[in-house]
Amino acid sequence: MSQKKYRHETLAVHAGQAPDPTTLSRAVPICRTTAFNFKSAGHAANLFGLKELGNIYSRLTNPTNSILEDRLAQLEGGAAALTLSSGTSAIAFTILNILKGGDELVSANNLYGGTYTQFDAIFPNYGITTRFTRVNDFDAVRKSINEKTRALYVESIGNPRLDVADIEKYAQIAREFHLPLIVDSTFTPPTLLRPIEYGANIVIHSLSKWIGGHGTAIGGAVIDAGNFDWTDKKFALYNEPDGGYHGLRFAHDLGDLNKLAFILRLRTVGLRNLGPTLSPDSAWIFLQGLETLPLRVRKHSENALAVAKWLKQNPNVAWVRYPGLETDEAYPVAKKYLKDGFGGVVVCGLKGGYDAAVKLVDSISLFSNVANVGDAKSLILHPASTSHSQLSEKSKTESGLDSSLIRLSIGLEHIDDIIDALDEVIS
Ligand SMILES: *Cc1c(COP(=O)(O)O)cnc(C)c1O
């Protein structure tokens, strides 16, 4: 693409792609190949020695995935991106690309269930521990940071109660202590929020949700803002010679690419040697989703706001959380960051509590009872009995998970049909 600064709707359709020069295919071709021909022994040697950039083997790079990576980087205003096999692997490999045994992470506690389990129960087995704080409790964040801390982690809109992180304030603390700020922005695709504009260093997406948008593939992405200085010695993985990469020091030996040390290491160590690669078929599905992302997300947000308002006035509903409701405690922060809608998820509790939630999930029409969000179809889930059931009672309470909580991912159906489906079972 030319250097012209296109708007997000245009980037979503075009960024990262020129018609294929060999076939002149207008749509992005799916490169279903494991390996790529070397032009000569010298060409192969240069590719392996990182002296020349090019495709070697699809575990590392694939042209279809590269277009998706470039498009996501441009949409987020980042310097470069990497796609991975799932949002979950994007998170795990981001952490492993910064922290080693003995290091600590400071994270908000209102996390996606799988992420909480990684931080709370899996990484401690490898000596990486997490100090959890309530989202936007900046005193607690400061108190949790010590000489072992290597990163701050938040979700833009956090599970399960949809609190909105005050990213600018997190970024300010991150800068003060020279730590990278990692934001899982899955609930706020780049047409709603671009955390890098507020000082985030690394942005993560589960592509499986609104970016794919149709519930048809699993994938993840990490976008590097290219704005973090990794030469501080406390980031051992960037300053000590890497045994897996012939002694390379990622923060020092990449020349002009030193500012991309994080994403290059994620590819050349994480993807190359640990292997969480996204299939090019799935990359193509996500590219297809991205083309309509701005339109879809606007509609998801519009429908979700209407549902939240309807629930709010219903006498059988005990409580509703949606960051776009002016009465919501997240609204003051939400309106600062979310200029084009507040996302597609609404959570609520019925007056009948846990039992009423189970009954609703079992009897509602139109909505599908599934452990997913961000589909074109409306979805419903009762986390306390499903996705969050592995959490201990203590962490359930700490992360604000009420056993009555029902999560609604509002789809693209006609709003009257969505409301009718709720009205049949709630009134
Ligand atoms: C779904 C989700 C993930 C995990 O992504 P997968 O693609 O399902 O592995 C991580 N974070 C958030 C906020 C999510 O919604």
Side-chain angles (χ1 to χ4, degrees), residues 135-136 138 154-157 163-173 175 181 183 185 187-200 323 330-343:
V135 68
N136 299 339
F138 297 105
V154 290
E155 290 183 5
S156 55
I157 297 184
D163 289 298
V164 180
D166 198 333
I167 295 172
E168 214 163 42
K169 290 196 181 143
Y170 275 101
Q172 199 181 326
I173 298 180
R175 272 194 303 276
L181 173 62
V183 178
S185 199
F187 273 50
T188 47
T191 55
L192 288 187
L193 171 70
R194 291 169 295 283
I196 291 169
E197 289 175 1
Y198 298 96
Y331 185 74
V333 179
K335 80 169 193 299
K336 170 175 165 192
Y337 292 100
L338 306 173
K339 310 276 193 229
D340 196 26
F342 298 89

Side-chain angles (χ1 to χ4, degrees), residues 369-383:
N369 179 9
V370 296
N372 190 19
V373 291
D375 196 321
K377 303 168 184 71
S378 286
L379 314 174
I380 188 166
L381 185 76
H382 180 223

